[in-house]
Amino acid sequence: MCADQIERLPTGITGFDHIANGGLPKGRTTLVSGTAGSAKTVFAAQFLAAGIKRGEPGVFVTFEETPEALRRNMLGFGWDIARWEAEGKWAFVDVSPQPEEELVELGAYDLGALLARIEHAVRSIGAVRLSMDSLGAIFTRLNDSRVVRNELLRIVSTLRRLGVTAVLTAERTQEYGEIARYGVEEFVSDDVVILRNLLEDEKRRRTVEILKFRGTSHQKGSFPFTVIPGEGIHVIPLSAIELKQRSSSVRTTSGNAELDRMCGGGFFRDSIVLVSGATGTGKTLMATTFMAAGVRQNERSLLFAFEESRDQLFRNAIGWGIDFEQMERDGLLRVICNYPEVTSLEDQLIFMKAEIDRFRPQRVAVDSLSALERVATIKGFREFVIGLTSFIKHQEMAGLYTATTPTLLGGSSITEAHISTITDSIILLRYVELFGEMRRGLTVLKMRGSSHDKDIREFTIDSRGMHIGRPFRNISGILSGQFTHIAPSEIDRLSAMFRDDESSDAAQDKPSAS
Amino acid sequence: MSKIVLHLYIAGQTPRAERAINTLRQMIEHDLAGYECELTIIDVLANPQQAEEQKILATPTLIKSLPLPHRRVIGDLSNVKDLLNVLNLPPQS
C-alpha cells in the first residue's frame, strides 16, 4: 500500500471501503454518478446511516424525493431516519419539488438560501457527513444552469470549509459515456464513483467503479454489488480479495477410505474439491458422504443443495445408510435447499456467506454449482465461484463442489472449464459403457500439493454407499467418452509378455547366481 | 378589500437584495397605493431555520401568501410591470 497523505473516512458500506482502500477522501466531496435505478439514493442514505452507527451525524439534502418518502423507503434497510432525526443525528434539508407552488423566475438570483440552510443544518447537529441527492433535479427546476453550477461550486467549497465529507449524486444518461449530465463533473471532479445497472444476457448486474480519487489510491475496475433488504449496498470486492490463504497439510477424510487412499491420504483441510460427472454418477452421494464423514468426527458440516429438495436429499441419504435428520438434530449438520432461480448470484453469495458465518462449519459442500450457473452470466458465475472459494478457504474449511457434465459419456462441463483452476482437486465421475452395460468410473485428475492414484477405477453404489474397485484395464478413452475396448486376450498377451520377461529374467538370473 | 401579504427572503444585503427591495417598495407605494399591504423581509443568514421551514431554495425569493393563490417568485424582481403580472396584482375586486 502506498503511504498517501489523504485521510480516509470509512463509509461503512460493506465491501466499498475495501475497494476504496479505506474509505472516501476525508473532508472532500465525492461525486457518485449513475443512471436511473443504479441505487444512488441508497448509496447516499447508507453513507449517512453507516456514519450514524459510528457516531457521526449526517445531513441529507434531498432535491428529488421528499423526506417523508425517504423515511418510508429507507426503513426497509433498517434505517430508522425519523428516530435519528429525533435524536439529532440526522437532519434533512428539504429541497424536493413543492408541487402546489410553481416557481417563477424574474431577474437574477443565487442559491444563497440553500447554502444558508445547509450550513445551518450541518452546524446544528455537528454533521460529519453530508449527502446531496440528486443534482439533476435542481437543474431541471431552475432555468439558469450556469447559476446553478456556480452555486453548487460555492456549496462544495463551503462543505470543505466546514470539514464535512460529502457524497453528491448525479444522473448519467448512459452506462458508458460522459460522467454526469449538466457538466456537474466540472466542479466536483476530484473524486468520482460510478454506479452501473447493466443488462447482460438479459440478467441485471450492478457494478461500482471508483473512477478517480485525486492524489490517492483505490482499486481499479468495476466490482459487482447488490442491494439487500435490511442491509443496503453490499459490494463484493472480488479481485481485491487477497488469495493468500494458508494452505495446510492437514488431511481430512472424504468419507470413503478407498478414495482417501487414491488422494494420497484424504482431502486437504483448507482445500476445495470439485467433483464432476454426468447426472446419476454419484455426485450427490459423494457430497452426502463427505458431510456424514464430517459429522462422524464431530465437525460441523454445511450442505447447500440447489438441485434436490430437502425430502429427496434426506431420503437418498437414508438409502445410503446416513441419517441426516438425526445429524441435524445433533446440531452438527445443516442442510440448506434453495432454488437458484429465486435470487441473483450476488445475493446468493451473500446469503451463503451469512449462513457460513452463522453456522461456522468445518466442512461445506455445494451440490451443484452447475445449477447456479444457469442463473448468471459467465463472468458473474466465475466471480461467484472465486468469491465463495476464497471465503471458504479463508475460514480454513474443507469444501466440496459438484458440477454436472451435460453429456452422459465423457465430456466436460462449462462449470469445470471456469473453475478448474480455482479448485485444488478434481475428481471425475464417468459412465463407462462396457459390452452393453453401463458401469461407473472414477479418477482423481488433480490433487494440488500431493501425489495421487492416476488409475481410472470402477466403482459401484449400493445401500452402504460407494465402493471403489479395481482399475479399468481393458478399456481406454473413458474421459473423452470415445471408448476403445482392448480385447482381453490382448491384455493377457501383453501382461503375459511382461510376466514372461520377469520370469525369464529371473530364470536367467538364477543360473548365473547359482 | 383584501389584504396583500408578502414575504421576501434575502441572503444578506447584496445588490440583488437591494434591487428586489427597491422594486417592491416602488410597487407598493405606486401601484398598490390603495391597498393594505404587509411586506416582511427575512434574511436567511440570520434566520436559516425559517428558510428551512419555508423550503426557500434561491435568493431573493418573494412569496405572496395573500390574496390566494400562493405565488413564489425568485430573482431580483427587475421589473414592476412583470412582477404585478406574475403576482396577479392588484387584486380584481
Side-chain angles (χ1 to χ4, degrees):
Chain A
M1 264 325 108
C2 60
D4 51 52
Q5 299 302 306
I6 289 143
E7 218 185 318
R8 302 306 177 99
L9 182 81
T11 58
I13 296 173
T14 315
F16 183 81
D17 294 331
H18 199 111
I19 66 167
N21 287 357
L24 295 179
K26 199 171 180 177
R28 304 208 309 214
T29 297
T30 301
L31 179 69
V32 175
S33 190
T35 53
S38 59
K40 295 186 296 293
T41 305
V42 179
F43 190 103
Q46 193 171 354
F47 174 62
L48 298 194
I52 286 167
K53 285 172 189 157
R54 290 159 185 259
E56 298 167 0
V59 168
F60 197 103
V61 183
T62 175
F63 290 112
E64 213 161 9
E65 286 183 67
T66 62
E68 293 75 40
L70 285 166
R71 284 183 201 111
R72 199 171 51 240
N73 297 342
M74 297 302 149
L75 212 52
F77 296 113
W79 307 329
D80 192 349
I81 297 174
R83 202 191 74 218
W84 290 334
E85 282 179 283
E87 292 169 354
K89 294 172 182 165
W90 178 300
F92 275 113
V93 173
D94 179 10
V95 203
S96 61
Q98 308 296 311
E100 69 278 8
E101 249 170 320
E102 113 185 79
L103 211 55
V104 185
E105 293 180 20
L106 205 63
Y109 55 88
D110 55 42
L111 300 184
L114 177 61
L115 185 63
R117 287 166 65 189
I118 291 174
E119 199 167 337
H120 171 65
V122 167
R123 287 191 194 283
S124 63
I125 64 164
V128 174
R129 302 179 180 215
L130 182 138
S131 286
M132 263 200 247
D133 179 66
S134 90
L135 293 184
I138 191 167
F139 282 95
T140 54
R141 277 163 64 202
L142 298 173
N143 291 329
D144 197 338
S145 318
R146 199 181 47 81
V147 168
V148 176
R149 260 200 298 277
N150 286 344
E151 292 297 292
L152 286 171
L153 182 59
R154 198 148 70 100
I155 290 170
V156 168
S157 55
T158 302
L159 293 175
R160 189 172 296 224
R161 185 165 49 75
L162 293 169
V164 170
T165 307
V167 163
L168 221 67
T169 70
E171 290 79 11
R172 318 181 69 198
T173 43
Q174 319 151 271
E175 295 298 358
Y176 297 96
E178 59 169 353
I179 293 171
R181 289 172 77 182
Y182 306 109
V184 168
E185 74 272 19
E186 284 168 26
F187 61 88
V188 275
S189 59
D190 283 358
D191 310 303
V192 179
V193 173
I194 292 187
L195 302 177
R196 292 193 175 91
N197 186 9
L198 307 161
L199 194 60
E200 270 176 24
D201 298 343
E202 300 189 14
K203 282 154 196 153
R204 278 281 163 203
R205 208 173 112 79
R206 292 180 183 281
T207 63
V208 53
E209 177 183 9
I210 297 173
L211 202 64
K212 56 177 165 178
F213 276 175
R214 180 151 295 169
T216 183
S217 66
H218 59 84
Q219 301 287 319
K220 311 285 188 295
S222 59
F223 298 85
F225 77 89
T226 176
V227 180
I228 320 174
E231 182 184 340
I233 290 175
H234 187 123
V235 180
I236 304 163
L238 288 171
S239 34
I241 291 170
E242 295 164 58
L243 283 165
K244 54 165 192 196
Q245 299 88 3
R246 275 163 288 174
S247 54
S248 75
S249 52
V250 179
R251 302 271 188 164
T252 182
T253 177
S254 67
N256 185 306
E258 192 52 39
L259 183 61
D260 286 350
R261 258 194 295 283
M262 287 181 75
C263 294
F267 296 162
F268 284 112
R269 198 192 57 200
D270 340 293
S271 77
I272 304 282
V273 179
L274 176 69
V275 179
S276 160
T279 174
T281 43
K283 295 185 303 296
T284 301
L285 168 60
M286 283 201 70
T288 305
T289 315
F290 178 67
M291 291 285 96
V295 170
R296 256 180 234 120
Q297 45 191 25
N298 246 348
E299 288 178 6
R300 300 163 75 79
S301 305
L302 180 59
L303 172 64
F304 291 103
F306 296 105
E307 276 185 343
E308 284 167 289
S309 71
R310 220 180 138 75
D311 285 351
Q312 207 173 343
L313 269 172
F314 281 49
R315 207 165 48 232
N316 292 346
I318 286 285
W320 298 313
I322 294 165
D323 190 353
F324 267 0
E325 217 157 307
Q326 184 58 45
M327 291 174 174
E328 273 206 328
R329 269 200 297 274
D330 294 341
L332 285 171
L333 176 76
R334 190 157 150 65
V335 178
I336 296 166
C337 292
N338 221 333
Y339 282 107
E341 279 79 9
V342 297
T343 174
S344 76
L345 222 45
E346 287 84 6
D347 288 351
Q348 190 69 256
L349 177 60
I350 288 156
F351 167 76
M352 289 169 78
K353 280 181 172 178
E355 287 294 340
I356 291 170
D357 268 339
R358 196 173 314 150
F359 191 64
R360 297 239 141 259
Q362 277 101 37
R363 307 186 161 214
V364 175
V366 179
D367 183 40
S368 76
L369 279 183
S370 307
L372 293 171
E373 195 186 318
R374 292 198 300 265
V375 299
T377 59
I378 290 172
K379 189 165 188 290
F381 179 67
R382 200 181 150 79
E383 284 173 349
F384 167 81
V385 176
I386 294 173
L388 184 64
T389 303
S390 65
F391 184 74
I392 290 178
K393 290 173 99 175
H394 237 87
Q395 318 269 323
E396 302 185 354
M397 296 182 283
L400 182 142
Y401 302 156
T402 69
T404 311
T405 48
T407 53
L408 287 182
L409 300 174
S412 63
S413 69
I414 307 165
T415 313
E416 242 171 73
H418 289 294
I419 65 169
S420 56
T421 52
I422 300 163
T423 58
D424 302 294
S425 311
I426 301 176
I427 295 169
L428 300 181
L429 305 179
R430 292 289 185 262
Y431 283 116
V432 181
E433 189 201 337
L434 205 63
F435 304 114
E437 206 184 315
M438 273 303 198
R439 310 272 197 89
R440 294 184 175 97
L442 174 153
T443 188
V444 179
L445 198 65
K446 162 178 154 185
M447 187 79 198
R448 190 174 285 165
S450 168
S451 64
H452 61 87
D453 191 338
K454 273 104 184 161
D455 281 335
I456 300 175
R457 306 275 292 267
E458 179 167 7
F459 71 91
T460 54
I461 296 173
D462 66 13
S463 62
R464 285 178 299 119
M466 179 184 282
H467 304 277
I468 300 173
R470 289 155 48 86
F472 285 101
R473 280 292 180 222
N474 49 354
I475 189 163
S476 69
I478 293 171
L479 297 186
S480 63
Q482 312 286 320
F483 306 119
T484 320
H485 296 279
I486 305 165
S489 59
E490 179 69 4
I491 296 170
D492 287 345
R493 199 183 63 81
L494 284 169
S495 45
M497 216 161 71
F498 283 101
R499 205 163 33 239
D500 283 348
D501 281 350
E502 280 166 23
S503 52
S504 61
D505 279 353
Q508 277 167 7
D509 285 347
K510 264 175 200 162
S512 59
S514 59
Chain B
M1 193 170 23
S2 72
K3 189 173 153 186
I4 298 166
V5 178
L6 301 170
H7 287 89
L8 179 71
Y9 290 84
I10 56 168
Q13 294 292 327
T14 62
R16 263 185 214 129
E18 303 282 333
R19 269 199 296 279
I21 293 167
N22 284 340
T23 309
L24 283 170
R25 289 236 163 89
Q26 201 188 329
M27 176 182 82
I28 291 163
E29 280 160 23
H30 294 93
D31 306 83
L32 303 173
Y35 298 89
E36 191 189 340
C37 208
E38 192 186 297
L39 170 67
T40 315
I41 297 170
I42 302 123
D43 188 344
V44 297
L45 299 183
N47 295 296
Q49 190 54 42
Q50 210 165 334
E52 184 59 49
E53 280 153 23
Q54 289 300 315
K55 294 174 183 159
I56 307 299
L57 172 62
T59 38
T61 291
L62 177 70
I63 297 177
K64 180 195 79 168
S65 29
L66 278 176
L68 294 173
H70 280 253
R71 263 292 140 81
R72 209 175 254 239
V73 184
I74 63 171
D76 59 7
L77 316 174
S78 37
N79 179 319
V80 176
K81 212 174 140 226
D82 288 345
L83 180 59
L84 286 169
N85 216 352
V86 165
L87 294 177
N88 267 332
L89 290 176
Q92 314 295 316
S93 38

